Amino acid sequence: MNDLLSLFILRSTGTNVNTNTNTTATDTDNDKISPHQQQQHSQQLVVDTSSSWDYLSLRDLYQLKCVSKATYESLEWVEYNRCRDGKDYLVPFPGYPGVLSTPSDVKFGAGLFPHQLSSLRAMHRAENHNTHFGALRGGILGDAPGLGKTITMLSLIANTAGCKPQTPKEFYDDASIAEHWKLMRTNPVFRVEILKALQPFRNNGYILQNTYDEMAIYVSPPYTDDRFPTLGSFEQYVHTTMRNRASQAQLDLFRRNVMAFKAGLDKRNRRFFNNDKGKRMLFERNLIPCSSTVVIVPDALLEHWADQIRRHVNLGVFVDPNYFDRNKYNNFHSYNGNGNGEGAGGGEVRSEERPKNGVVYIDGVGDLSTARFPLNHQQIPLPSSYDLMSYTIVVVPFSRIRQHYVAMQKRRREEETMATYRASEDASAHYNSPLLQLRWFRIVVDEGHEVGEHAAGSDVTKFINQMGAERRWVMSGTPTTGDEDSPKFTAKGLDQLQRLLLFLRRETYGTTISQFDGKNNSSWSDTALREGNKWTAKSAWDKHVKKPFLNKQEDGRKELYRVLDEVMIMHKKEDLSLPKPIFKQSQIDILVPPDIQSAIIDIVHSTAESDTITDALRKIGIAHHEQRLRPALTEGGSILFDALIDEYLRTDGFQALVDEGQANFIIDVIRKEQLALEDRGGAIIGSVNAPITAATQLEFCSKNWVDRRPFKAVVYSNSHKYLLSVAEYLYAAFDNENIAEMIEGKIEQMSYELGRFRHNFKEGKDCPICGGWNEFTGKKLASCNNRLVEVFYDGKTFLIEPERIKRAVGPAEFRSLGDRMQKIMYGSPVEMDRLDGAPLSKYNVSHLHWRVGDVLCIDTRDPHPLLRKRWSEEQWAKYGSVRCMELAAEYAFEGQDNYFGPLPVDETEVIVRLTKWQPCGRFHSRPRWDARRCKNIGWYTGPNLQDVEMREQREDTFLLLLDARLSHGLDLSFVTHMFLLEPIDDAALLEQVTSRAHRLGCTGPVTIDTLNVWHEMDSTTKGVAKKLSSSVQDETKKRTSTSVCEHCYRSFETLELAEAHELTCERNPDGNAKVDPFHLSSVYRDIRPPAPMLVGGPSDDGDKGVIQLDGVS
Ligand SMILES: [Zn+2]
Ligand SMILES: [Zn+2]
């Protein structure tokens, strides 16, 4: 402890650390901090981080080795990261332990970027500027998309790991509580209260009941002897008694009950709690304080967070050596403190279940140290609040929040309808989200603009606003959403900002009354939400900010700027020298089918009766729109021609051609790019098996830079339907393993698919019996699922892999079999149309067309060029094949037993009869007792799937099909190409999409290729169109010449227009733009990035200045 104190003294001496400090340090070894102890130490310490002097420069820290042995050794455990530009920065104590220090990070020389360090200092200030209870501690981390907000936030979390939210002095009046406890010790009336606290242990099975009864008698007041002098001693006694008998959940509930009880003993002036802050305090003091940060993320980002933490945080630094998972494993000691050091590609032995280390919990996945990648998300409930609070980081997706909100609403309605049901009676037992039982150290909402988006508040927002926490952060590169050019943008944006302030609980513009009544802490009141100070805060905002700002009054702008400058920390992308994206406008000409063209011309030239017209319309596929076309039909000429073309272009028939054309274009580009990459020497894949991302070494494009990034393409569309249709063609051109999909919104599916795309591998097991691959998708791999086929030949019934089936025997071949029929006794040919038009050689592709008795031609070579050599009969005898054959004979080969033994012949073409098929594991089942049939079944004693290790199988997944709705916030910095299936004219949206790949960590330019479609016609039709001076066929409407502004992503019709615009573009740092000061974006623009922590830089009292961003050049 002394050494820590000396460290604090060092901090206050600022940058002048020297050996003199030696005198303040005592050389005791017993107080040094190991990383394991660090967490507990910091929990015990009241670390006063309220002032700005708690910075040391890196150089100071390195010099500390001369201070004292113990301090030096302590500091060895505290990790500091150099900024990647190598300059000396000030770092808040205790630095960012664990972040960017995984083996691969160290190997690639990772470090924070200067702008991240400056954000971190500003965030540290925002959390410690005001530290009294209820103060705004947090804000909006608004760095532009792609500037590494995740790593910044993880660094902040690491910085405070182990700290607990402070308990304000007024939280409990200990003297009053002690006094009341003294009174109640001798008062039999309090018996009821005590028993109520014990309620969770009641009626819970025979063994528990005895213990409970004994205990209940012992702890019932009045106490005539000296037992339980304090409330704490009572709680301790019950806890010790029940610890090994009751479940964790029961213990949790008991502790909550004691808290409620304690609150009841605190009889202070009600007036003290009668204001906003008091009410919230009343509510929050019944929550369990914990040192965890909960990160709430859109579903699509769960994988991203898990991946970033695993990749860039050395979890070993945070491990609590006392932690072990009580429920399942006790193998903590096998954990070597190496955190997630296995990286993605380690070849080390893995078991299916790894030890938990209790540092990061990913909802739906579990302890991160046991997680597998690609992430296997499962439908598992969130653990109890007590399990959650032992983690440093808990990551929860929006869908979970929504689910809990709905569950609680439902619960509330039930309680309301059951008038007789008294919630208080059973309050502790009913469902309450564990997320609401904790007073979190910090809440972080990623893509937090969601919180401000809906006026009425989405389910997610309503829930999040209830959660108790000391510090609150919104992460969003776009805190206000919408089209900047829209006239309503500013008004809407101001409303959104106010709702963010509400979440942050900023004084005046965002304070809200607690939605909980202090007494009945489990009741959930929406009425309180609708009424109360939420509206006071809103009207204050409207009065002092929104109205004056919209009225273009300077006061409003000043106030808005003041508030935003206080809560927002932002860097803009313009400041970083990222490789610029390359915008391409590709033209895909789709030929309108000639018969459609002539049908259109026929109608235009026709003077015929209406039923011939209907016929022609039917040919085009637009007969059902005849009514709509009526006016054009009467008009004739170019109007009719244009209308017909227009109608046709909207048909499913034409869309199918478009999908095919776009798919072919994409396939073409991919093949060309892959060849070109081979010519450049092939892709360089990082040793960690995955593409280089955000925090690894940047090799920015210099003149002689050779682009050897692995080719990774995204096909992006806002239409689910088109995406699926294009996908069909892509699947036909490439293998399934080449393509990942984020089309459906299921979280487990998304995480898994994104992981495949990112990592290029999948995990699974090879069956030791048949050699077949069994993919791991989250379910335990117990039994081989590969289908084996049982066939009959020459008196023998044996198993083959479906791959050995060369073809099914059709009627003609069947007739010519002659003598060979004798070997299979009987059987029937396979009709030529059995396989839905596919040739009989495709028989093995799907078992759906198989029938018992089919005659097949198979290849029985062993060894087979592609398949595993069979085990010998001797080997099989050891594993029980004799017993297998007994069982098979017993059922006349109609049962499930058989074995994958040697083949009876060794020929390339053998005619056999199909007798049955089933998964390999069922043929080879373990001997066991079947209670239903009262007999022994199964026989196989050799190794099966459970006995082999999981392994990785490389996959080349270079294509991701991405639905626009799921793309928000994704880190696709390793992507080299994006294909947009439809043009994006909304500049903000285009920036969003581009930022998926164009972001910190991208190691080269990303090509954004917009696939514009044009309908092409024959020259005769074109001639007709020209004669009619049709506008539909006006070639100048082709979009190939469209150009995008590099700064603001607005689209222009020609390159010239775009260039002209760029000169006055508001976001062009070298331009001469005229800016409207009363547009919200201009206020954002005025907010300066926070100053860097560079030693000798601007003074440390929160000055903001221009930040140097040379770290990335
Ligand atoms: Zn198998
Ligand atoms: Zn522009």
Side-chain angles (χ1 to χ4, degrees):
M1 199 66 73
N2 287 329
D3 291 297
L4 262 181
L5 287 177
S6 74
L7 207 55
F8 287 120
I9 294 162
L10 288 176
R11 285 190 291 150
S12 59
T13 62
T15 53
N16 280 326
V17 179
N18 55 43
T19 46
N20 288 345
T21 8
N22 209 357
T23 52
T24 60
T26 30
D27 228 336
T28 48
D29 275 350
N30 46 356
D31 278 328
K32 68 183 173 189
I33 324 167
S34 77
H36 303 316
Q37 290 159 349
Q38 188 187 332
Q39 187 164 0
Q40 290 140 318
H41 268 260
S42 36
Q43 273 172 8
Q44 291 157 11
L45 278 171
V46 181
V47 181
D48 178 7
T49 44
S50 57
S51 48
S52 53
W53 44 252
D54 51 358
Y55 292 98
L56 289 177
S57 83
L58 281 177
R59 203 173 301 128
D60 298 336
L61 285 160
Y62 291 133
Q63 283 172 4
L64 282 176
K65 65 183 74 164
C66 49
V67 173
S68 78
K69 186 169 162 269
T71 307
Y72 171 62
E73 282 174 4
S74 306
L75 275 172
E76 272 200 323
W77 291 105
V78 180
E79 294 174 43
Y80 289 85
N81 280 290
R82 271 192 180 281
C83 179
R84 65 174 73 210
D85 66 1
K87 291 179 185 157
D88 202 14
Y89 288 85
L90 294 166
V91 178
F93 180 85
Y96 312 110
V99 176
L100 299 179
S101 61
T102 57
S104 72
D105 280 339
V106 171
K107 186 174 164 194
F108 285 104
L112 293 165
F113 285 90
H115 77 274
Q116 290 178 309
L117 276 173
S118 83
S119 288
L120 277 163
R121 180 173 84 155
M123 292 167 86
H124 180 79
R125 280 186 58 83
E127 289 198 340
N128 297 292
H129 187 64
N130 274 320
T131 54
H132 66 268
F133 178 83
L136 163 59
R137 301 182 73 172
I140 301 168
L141 176 59
D143 285 352
L147 295 192
K149 286 192 288 296
T150 308
I151 295 293
T152 307
M153 190 51 81
L154 287 172
S155 304
L156 183 73
I157 294 169
N159 186 266
T160 56
C163 292
K164 274 195 173 181
Q166 58 158 320
T167 309
K169 284 195 200 79
E170 327 85 89
F171 224 51
Y172 284 109
D173 182 353
D174 288 336
S176 158
I177 290 169
E179 194 181 314
H180 277 85
W181 177 261
K182 261 188 208 129
L183 290 174
M184 74 138 275
R185 284 186 73 249
T186 52
N187 188 343
V189 174
F190 279 111
R191 192 159 180 264
V192 180
E193 299 294 322
I194 289 286
L195 291 182
K196 218 186 247 177
L198 297 180
Q199 199 272 345
F201 304 120
R202 218 166 59 200
N203 305 330
N204 275 302
Y206 175 71
I207 297 172
L208 193 58
Q209 194 62 43
N210 282 345
T211 319
Y212 171 81
D213 290 344
E214 271 171 40
M215 182 178 67
I217 292 166
Y218 186 72
V219 301
S220 288
Y223 311 136
T224 47
D225 53 12
D226 59 353
R227 78 181 71 149
F228 311 135
T230 62
L231 174 62
S233 59
F234 159 75
E235 183 179 3
Q236 187 60 47
Y237 172 81
V238 175
H239 188 83
T240 313
T241 313
M242 301 311 288
R243 195 173 45 203
N244 297 320
R245 297 184 169 88
S247 71
Q248 192 59 41
Q250 288 170 318
L251 291 168
D252 292 357
L253 290 169
F254 167 67
R255 197 173 150 183
R256 275 180 61 78
N257 287 353
V258 171
M259 280 200 181
F261 181 55
K262 188 171 163 187
L265 290 180
D266 191 352
K267 306 278 186 216
R268 257 174 311 162
N269 191 347
R270 297 286 301 172
R271 249 174 35 214
F272 176 77
F273 290 116
N274 218 5
N275 56 19
D276 254 21
K277 214 187 283 176
K279 277 182 186 155
R280 192 157 69 241
M281 199 183 289
L282 212 52
F283 163 62
E284 293 209 357
R285 76 175 183 179
N286 288 347
L287 302 176
I288 306 153
C290 70
S291 57
S292 319
T293 293
V294 58
V295 185
I296 298 169
V297 306
D299 290 15
L301 292 186
L302 193 81
E303 197 270 349
H304 165 73
W305 275 87
D307 184 71
Q308 290 289 299
I309 297 171
R310 180 186 74 124
R311 208 181 278 260
H312 300 305
V313 183
N314 189 341
L315 299 180
V317 172
F318 304 97
V319 169
D320 173 354
N322 294 324
Y323 177 87
F324 66 98
D325 182 7
R326 292 170 294 268
N327 307 323
K328 224 169 179 182
Y329 315 104
N330 199 1
N331 48 358
F332 169 76
H333 294 292
S334 68
Y335 178 78
N336 58 10
N338 205 10
N340 45 8
E342 79 270 12
E348 81 278 28
V349 177
R350 295 169 169 203
S351 65
E352 223 163 307
E353 286 158 346
R354 301 178 222 189
K356 302 182 176 188
N357 67 10
V359 179
V360 177
Y361 187 87
I362 309 285
D363 186 18
V365 175
D367 192 309
L368 184 63
S369 58
T370 67
R372 314 196 136 269
F373 288 81
L375 210 57
N376 293 293
H377 191 279
Q378 288 169 279
Q379 304 278 355
I380 48 175
L382 211 55
S384 76
S385 51
Y386 273 78
D387 283 333
L388 288 179
M389 70 185 280
S390 64
Y391 286 95
T392 305
I393 305 176
V394 175
V395 186
V396 180
F398 283 178
S399 57
R400 173 73 75 186
I401 300 287
R402 214 168 287 128
Q403 180 203 16
H404 279 199
Y405 181 77
V406 170
M408 299 191 68
Q409 289 291 89
K410 189 170 163 246
R411 179 80 210 178
R412 208 189 95 221
R413 277 196 302 275
E414 282 169 9
E415 283 173 15
E416 278 171 2
T417 49
M418 289 191 289
T420 49
Y421 181 82
R422 273 314 315 138
S424 59
E425 190 57 36
D426 205 19
S428 52
H430 86 208
Y431 177 75
N432 194 0
S433 168
L435 298 170
L436 289 175
Q437 291 169 24
L438 296 173
R439 182 146 184 269
W440 300 91
F441 180 71
R442 186 188 285 112
I443 297 182
V444 176
V445 186
D446 194 8
E447 296 300 326
H449 50 263
E450 156 90 12
V451 171
E453 233 160 47
H454 311 279
S458 64
D459 290 356
V460 173
T461 313
K462 284 179 187 157
F463 190 94
I464 290 173
N465 279 338
Q466 306 299 320
M467 292 172 70
E470 178 179 278
R471 306 169 189 212
R472 312 172 81 88
W473 285 97
V474 161
M475 288 169 73
S476 174
T478 50
T480 43
T481 51
D483 180 4
E484 281 194 24
D485 294 332
S486 146
K488 293 220 168 117
F489 174 78
T490 297
K492 232 181 93 193
L494 289 171
D495 287 341
Q496 290 180 4
L497 283 174
Q498 196 268 324
R499 290 192 282 269
L500 294 185
L501 297 177
L502 198 67
F503 163 76
L504 295 173
R505 297 183 175 161
R506 189 196 177 278
E507 301 228 1
T508 320
Y509 300 130
T511 37
T512 169
I513 61 160
S514 163
Q515 282 76 45
F516 296 83
D517 179 75
K519 241 185 191 168
N520 186 359
N521 62 56
S522 51
S523 83
W524 177 272
S525 162
D526 243 12
T527 348
L529 187 82
R530 265 181 255 120
E531 296 157 4
N533 290 18
K534 181 183 169 187
W535 300 115
T536 326
K538 173 125 177 57
S539 53
W541 175 258
D542 287 354
K543 187 174 165 208
H544 298 297
V545 181
K546 190 180 168 188
K547 271 188 200 139
F549 187 82
L550 292 178
N551 289 334
K552 301 192 187 283
Q553 286 166 259
E554 197 51 45
D555 282 1
R557 193 178 198 279
K558 255 191 196 150
E559 181 65 359
L560 175 61
Y561 178 82
R562 191 180 72 82
V563 174
L564 287 188
D565 193 48
E566 176 196 318
V567 300
M568 281 195 72
I569 291 159
M570 62 191 270
H571 289 95
K572 296 163 195 102
K573 212 185 226 167
E574 291 91 297
D575 307 328
L576 289 173
S577 41
L578 289 172
K580 290 228 163 72
I582 300 166
F583 288 98
K584 266 193 185 164
Q585 300 287 341
S586 296
Q587 188 75 47
I588 298 168
D589 293 334
I590 307 291
L591 183 71
V592 175
D595 56 321
I596 304 279
Q597 294 186 41
S598 47
I600 289 173
I601 293 174
D602 283 353
I603 296 175
V604 173
H605 288 163
S606 158
T607 50
E609 295 302 306
S610 65
D611 45 334
T612 15
I613 297 233
T614 310
D615 262 2
L617 289 177
R618 191 168 297 127
K619 222 182 260 170
I620 306 172
I622 54 175
H624 52 296
H625 291 317
E626 190 171 348
Q627 212 52 41
R628 195 158 77 197
L629 285 163
R630 220 6 91 198
L633 284 165
T634 322
E635 197 73 34
S638 75
I639 290 181
L640 178 57
F641 181 82
D642 292 358
L644 290 171
I645 300 262
D646 208 51
E647 280 293 345
Y648 170 70
L649 297 184
R650 281 191 261 163
T651 58
D652 287 349
F654 184 70
Q655 187 57 48
L657 295 176
V658 170
D659 296 340
E660 186 181 5
Q662 290 190 323
N664 287 337
F665 178 88
I666 293 168
I667 293 163
D668 230 44
V669 173
I670 290 176
R671 295 227 160 105
K672 273 186 200 137
E673 289 289 342
Q674 284 175 332
L675 285 177
L677 182 59
E678 285 312 311
D679 286 347
R680 291 195 295 268
I684 300 174
I685 296 169
S687 63
V688 278
N689 234 353
I692 300 167
T693 59
T696 52
Q697 192 82 58
L698 299 182
E699 287 155 347
F700 280 97
C701 340
S702 61
K703 269 183 194 129
N704 33 21
W705 179 67
V706 180
D707 187 358
R708 287 174 68 183
R709 292 172 296 164
F711 178 84
K712 292 273 180 183
V714 169
V715 178
Y716 177 96
S717 172
N718 55 36
S719 161
H720 187 104
K721 200 176 126 204
Y722 298 163
L723 210 48
L724 285 176
S725 166
V726 169
E728 242 174 74
Y729 298 98
L730 296 174
Y731 276 112
F734 303 113
D735 288 334
N736 287 1
E737 67 154 75
N738 300 142
I739 303 175
E741 285 184 15
M742 280 183 73
I743 299 182
E744 309 286 351
K746 278 264 187 66
I747 183 166
E748 52 271 33
Q749 193 59 25
M750 284 193 291
S751 300
Y752 183 71
E753 290 289 300
L754 195 60
R756 280 183 56 219
F757 184 52
R758 192 193 300 277
H759 297 291
N760 278 341
F761 74 81
K762 56 188 178 184
E763 278 190 316
K765 290 182 173 187
D766 295 316
C767 171
I769 304 169
C770 72
W773 172 255
N774 286 266
E775 193 159 334
F776 180 73
T777 57
K779 286 197 200 88
K780 202 170 157 63
L781 293 174
S783 167
C784 176
N785 260 320
N786 277 292
R787 197 163 284 109
L788 293 182
V789 181
E790 188 186 80
V791 294
F792 180 87
Y793 168 77
D794 202 11
K796 292 192 182 66
T797 307
F798 56 97
L799 301 184
I800 58 164
E801 306 89 337
E803 290 88 339
R804 288 186 185 272
I805 303 175
K806 295 182 89 172
R807 62 178 180 274
V809 172
E813 187 182 1
F814 186 78
R815 281 191 294 275
S816 68
L817 284 180
D819 284 355
R820 285 187 289 175
M821 270 305 284
Q822 289 169 5
K823 300 263 193 196
I824 61 171
M825 317 249 292
Y826 56 92
S828 25
V830 175
E831 316 82 74
M832 297 308 286
D833 58 354
R834 174 89 73 80
L835 309 179
D836 289 340
L840 294 182
S841 56
K842 298 277 182 195
Y843 186 85
N844 64 7
V845 173
S846 164
H847 68 284
L848 295 176
H849 300 295
W850 298 356
R851 276 179 214 157
V852 171
D854 285 348
V855 178
L856 311 174
C857 176
I858 66 170
D859 181 339
T860 59
R861 283 177 293 165
D862 192 28
H864 181 278
L866 300 173
L867 299 168
R868 239 185 52 173
K869 175 105 178 82
R870 300 284 175 104
W871 292 336
S872 65
E873 281 293 0
E874 294 75 47
Q875 189 68 44
W876 276 106
K878 276 189 211 149
Y879 294 149
S881 61
V882 176
R883 173 70 185 142
C884 173
M885 283 300 107
E886 280 171 22
L887 289 166
E890 198 176 315
Y891 290 98
F893 282 93
E894 307 265 304
Q896 66 176 38
D897 303 288
N898 205 335
Y899 67 101
F900 197 65
L903 297 159
V905 277
D906 186 358
E907 283 169 32
T908 53
E909 295 219 341
V910 182
I911 298 296
V912 297
R913 166 166 51 87
L914 177 64
T915 57
K916 67 167 163 286
W917 61 91
Q918 65 181 358
C920 165
R922 284 185 54 115
F923 279 115
H924 306 94
S925 64
R926 291 276 190 229
R928 63 196 186 279
W929 174 252
D930 183 326
R932 195 167 54 83
R933 282 179 283 177
C934 288
K935 63 194 303 192
N936 284 309
I937 58 164
W939 58 273
Y940 180 68
T941 58
N944 71 7
L945 212 56
Q946 281 179 312
D947 303 315
V948 294
E949 294 296 338
M950 197 85 84
R951 74 172 179 90
E952 286 168 7
Q953 177 153 307
R954 285 210 65 88
E955 266 196 319
D956 187 12
T957 310
F958 53 75
L959 245 183
L960 174 69
L961 306 173
L962 180 59
D963 188 312
R965 286 164 306 150
L966 305 178
S967 69
H968 215 101
L970 292 183
D971 178 354
L972 301 175
S973 54
F974 53 90
V975 161
T976 55
H977 281 71
M978 286 185 94
F979 297 101
L980 311 182
L981 291 190
E982 53 274 320
I984 300 176
D985 291 327
D986 175 344
L989 185 59
L990 184 60
E991 180 173 13
Q992 272 286 351
V993 173
T994 308
S995 293
R996 296 306 112 237
H998 178 238
R999 60 197 294 122
L1000 205 64
C1002 67
T1003 52
V1006 55
T1007 305
I1008 310 289
D1009 198 341
T1010 304
L1011 309 189
N1012 300 287
V1013 172
W1014 183 253
H1015 51 278
E1016 194 51 73
M1017 312 252 200
D1018 294 337
S1019 54
T1020 30
T1021 318
K1022 278 185 183 170
V1024 173
K1026 209 172 174 191
K1027 222 184 258 169
L1028 293 167
S1029 58
S1030 153
S1031 62
V1032 192
Q1033 196 54 24
D1034 183 358
E1035 301 258 342
T1036 60
K1037 282 189 176 172
K1038 285 192 178 184
R1039 293 177 51 111
T1040 353
S1041 57
T1042 312
S1043 197
V1044 175
C1045 168
E1046 279 185 354
H1047 307 290
C1048 70
Y1049 297 88
R1050 282 190 179 85
S1051 301
F1052 296 90
E1053 289 199 352
T1054 65
L1055 186 64
E1056 292 71 36
L1057 281 175
E1059 279 174 349
H1061 154 84
E1062 278 178 7
L1063 290 177
T1064 57
C1065 177
E1066 290 167 8
R1067 287 175 60 175
N1068 181 358
D1070 306 321
N1072 44 0
K1074 286 195 197 82
V1075 181
D1076 172 10
F1078 291 97
H1079 191 274
L1080 185 53
S1081 64
S1082 83
V1083 184
Y1084 287 148
R1085 213 161 293 128
D1086 285 357
I1087 294 173
R1088 320 246 2 134
M1093 302 194 283
L1094 201 58
V1095 174
S1099 75
D1100 193 34
D1101 352 305
D1103 285 1
K1104 294 190 171 189
V1106 181
I1107 184 166
Q1108 296 167 353
L1109 289 155
D1110 48 1
V1112 289
S1113 53

